[in-house]
Amino acid sequence: MRTSFLDNRCPADFELPDHFRLRHPRSPFHHRPALQRTQSAVRHMPIGNILTEIRAGVASHRELGVEEVLSAPEKVFCVALEPDAIESLRPKAGAVRAGRL
């Protein structure tokens, strides 16, 4: 007995959308870090080096420096990255700041 229509999923159901979101060369997520965190009072969304904070429906935007981009996953999103993963973000953080992405 099937309990849900989601039981009949195939790998292609995930791989094709994932390709266009993450792996396609023109995907905005392929060339710059992007995270989101929603809490009761604030929603944080950094894309590249711009941190957007939404509080009570009002958005504010702040440009992050390279070191802030590298520390944001842990400080803002409570995501601990390995040191080599953090360093792999450095060229992208610098490129975004220089306007190359």
Side-chain angles (χ1 to χ4, degrees):
M1 181 171 128
R2 260 178 49 189
T3 58
S4 168
F5 69 91
L6 295 177
D7 290 339
N8 286 336
R9 293 178 282 187
C10 298
D13 294 338
F14 300 99
E15 291 171 8
L16 189 60
D18 186 51
H19 168 75
F20 288 106
R21 278 192 301 259
L22 303 175
R23 295 186 186 111
H24 192 275
R26 290 187 294 176
S27 168
F29 303 107
H30 184 71
H31 300 287
R32 57 187 174 188
L35 299 166
Q36 288 191 45
R37 182 175 185 202
T38 302
Q39 298 173 294
S40 61
V42 64
R43 181 176 183 191
H44 291 96
M45 299 178 298
I47 299 194
N49 68 326
I50 304 297
L51 176 64
T52 300
E53 294 182 346
I54 301 174
R55 295 175 188 273
V58 178
S60 64
H61 309 281
R62 182 168 66 92
E63 185 175 352
L64 302 176
V66 173
E67 294 304 318
E68 289 177 295
V69 170
L70 299 177
S71 67
E74 187 167 356
K75 288 185 177 179
V76 178
F77 299 94
C78 301
V79 175
L81 299 176
E82 297 292 327
D84 59 329
I86 293 170
E87 285 305 310
S88 74
L89 294 175
R90 186 174 295 281
K92 292 179 182 182
V96 170
R97 186 155 180 78
R100 295 192 301 264
L101 294 180

